[in-house]
Amino acid sequence: MKPIIAGPCSAESEEQILKIAEFLATKTSVKTMRAGVWKPRTRPGGFEGHGEIALKWLQNAKQTFGLSIAVEVAMPEHVELCLKHDIDTVWIGARTTGNPFAVQKIAESLTGCDLSVMVKNALSPDWSLWLGAIERIEKSGITNIKAIHRGFSTNQNSQFRYPPMWEIPIEIRRRRPNMPMFCDASHIAGKADLVPLIAQKAFDMEMDGLMIELHNEPKVALTDASQQLGFSEFENLITQLIEKNPTYQGAELEKMRALIDDLDEELIANLAKRMKLVDEMGKYKHENQITILQMGRWKKMLENRLKIGQEQNLDQTFMLDFWRLIHAEALRIQNKTM
């Protein structure tokens, strides 16, 4: 089984931490326990964590049950306290990743440390912001770095709290093929009953491990109660996860891949023809004093392409994104021509 990091969203009491640690150590193969110690909320007034005293509870759990401990940090002071209390792994949360100033300060505080560091993606769907945070940590001298995919904040309708937008972690993996990538299935799902779906999808997408929020009494959790699993739910999740073959090379699969390769070559050739024609149109518009962008034409064309796509059972969101990219490139080419 791929590694799983599990534990409560927030460290609420020493009794809670020890109960969860005992469960993980005696009933599962999980080696690393996670817990939130500093929990500033979007708006003030709610439970915001116990701070340093919670680190003592986690240190006790580590000594008692032999688990590694992972904690979120958001400022250099947090790193210093984690080192003081023998924490093994720190992770940078989504809101912090989105702030290069904060990441830089944390990176500087990590210089000379032997901590394992995990970096969650920023809330905004921007792979470069995520990669930039990873690079800042690398420059501090940390070599044990992992990325955590926890979904993104978007305005699209979704059954998930933070839609996964798998293309973004895939881009990070393309650029950093040797960097382990974990999936925080709890934050993506937002609901406990959707966590197994995301966890299995993460395995299917060749993620290297999972981060799961686990609570001894989820219904009364002080933070993110709806997405935390109980003990029995967690055991069910572990037994139901399937690790599929990532290197299968069967003849039938290779035949389908060859057909896709041929279609892609044809698609690229047609795109090249289209952009050549776009370039000619740009020159014509310039010679005849015609605006590059004509909203009436763009609106009519987009409606037509979406209709054709719908008739071919193509996803409308995909089609909209696709044609927006095509149109943006056409405008770039025509602007260059002008």
Side-chain angles (χ1 to χ4, degrees):
M1 177 64 70
K2 293 180 179 182
I4 298 177
I5 299 171
C9 175
S10 300
E12 300 170 0
S13 69
E14 185 168 22
E15 179 184 14
Q16 172 225 26
I17 289 299
L18 291 175
K19 282 184 178 180
I20 296 172
E22 181 180 20
F23 167 76
L24 290 174
T26 61
K27 302 293 184 180
T28 78
S29 60
V30 171
K31 303 300 182 185
T32 302
M33 178 178 176
R34 57 141 289 156
V37 171
W38 297 279
K39 301 293 296 185
R41 315 311 294 161
T42 301
R43 299 179 64 185
F47 174 69
E48 296 194 337
H50 289 292
E52 184 174 2
I53 190 173
L55 291 175
K56 295 179 180 179
W57 304 338
L58 292 166
Q59 187 177 29
N60 184 21
K62 174 180 179 175
Q63 294 170 350
T64 304
F65 297 104
L67 295 169
S68 294
I69 304 295
V71 169
E72 180 179 352
V73 296
M75 57 183 66
E77 293 85 349
H78 294 168
V79 174
E80 293 171 9
L81 287 170
C82 284
L83 290 169
K84 177 182 176 182
H85 292 88
D86 201 25
I87 301 302
D88 304 281
T89 299
V90 297
W91 80 80
I92 297 176
R95 288 181 174 84
T96 307
T97 298
N99 183 345
F101 293 103
V103 175
Q104 183 60 38
K105 289 294 185 183
I106 293 171
E108 291 169 3
S109 72
L110 287 166
T111 303
C113 299
D114 61 355
L115 285 170
S116 171
V117 180
M118 306 182 81
V119 183
K120 290 192 175 185
N121 59 264
L123 287 170
S124 59
D126 181 352
W127 65 262
S128 61
L129 194 59
W130 190 3
L131 185 59
I134 291 170
E135 289 170 340
R136 289 179 187 277
I137 300 302
E138 287 175 327
K139 287 184 177 181
S140 73
I142 297 294
T143 56
N144 188 354
I145 304 175
K146 300 178 180 65
I148 306 179
H149 172 220
R150 52 85 71 204
F152 301 87
S153 180
T154 72
N155 58 6
Q156 64 182 248
N157 293 325
S158 174
Q159 68 184 124
F160 305 116
R161 181 182 182 187
Y162 294 108
M165 301 180 70
W166 296 102
E167 66 274 15
I168 295 178
I170 288 172
E171 179 62 17
I172 294 292
R173 299 203 73 182
R174 184 183 74 82
R175 291 172 177 271
R176 294 301 179 90
N178 297 320
M179 177 170 290
M181 173 79 72
F182 278 56
C183 178
D184 181 346
S186 299
H187 272 89
I188 291 175
K191 298 178 182 177
D193 60 349
L194 293 176
V195 171
L197 175 66
I198 292 296
Q200 183 59 57
K201 182 68 172 180
F203 273 22
D204 293 347
M205 299 295 281
E206 280 198 78
M207 296 286 156
D208 299 294
L210 298 171
M211 179 176 277
I212 304 291
E213 291 192 350
L214 169 72
H215 199 287
N216 54 314
E217 296 184 72
K219 291 182 179 179
V220 297
L222 297 180
T223 55
D224 286 347
S226 62
Q227 67 190 38
Q228 298 192 66
L229 302 185
F231 289 172
S232 61
E233 293 172 311
F234 186 78
E235 288 181 299
N236 289 337
L237 170 68
I238 291 176
T239 58
Q240 292 170 9
L241 282 172
I242 300 172
E243 291 192 52
K244 299 175 183 177
N245 187 347
T247 58
Y248 180 75
Q249 299 290 331
E252 189 64 25
L253 181 61
E254 290 306 307
K255 180 180 178 181
M256 288 186 281
R257 284 173 173 166
L259 289 172
I260 286 176
D261 290 344
D262 290 342
L263 289 170
D264 284 349
E265 287 185 20
E266 184 179 339
L267 177 62
I268 292 168
N270 282 326
L271 276 173
K273 291 177 183 177
R274 189 186 197 280
M275 294 310 170
K276 184 177 180 181
L277 184 56
V278 163
D279 184 50
E280 293 175 9
M281 287 177 61
K283 294 174 182 176
Y284 181 85
K285 288 178 180 179
H286 176 62
E287 292 169 359
N288 292 276
Q289 296 297 300
I290 301 170
T291 60
I292 292 175
L293 175 61
Q294 295 173 300
M295 283 302 299
R297 161 64 181 168
W298 165 233
K299 182 179 179 182
K300 184 177 180 180
M301 188 191 82
L302 184 60
E303 289 173 350
N304 172 264
R305 303 307 189 264
L306 292 177
K307 181 181 179 183
I308 294 172
Q310 190 172 33
E311 291 170 353
Q312 296 293 327
N313 295 318
L314 290 171
D315 180 79
Q316 290 291 281
T317 300
F318 163 73
M319 290 297 290
L320 182 60
D321 290 343
F322 177 78
W323 285 107
R324 281 174 173 166
L325 282 172
I326 294 291
H327 190 243
E329 177 62 8
L331 291 177
R332 186 193 68 79
I333 290 172
Q334 292 188 43
N335 267 310
K336 186 178 179 181
T337 299
M338 303 293 269

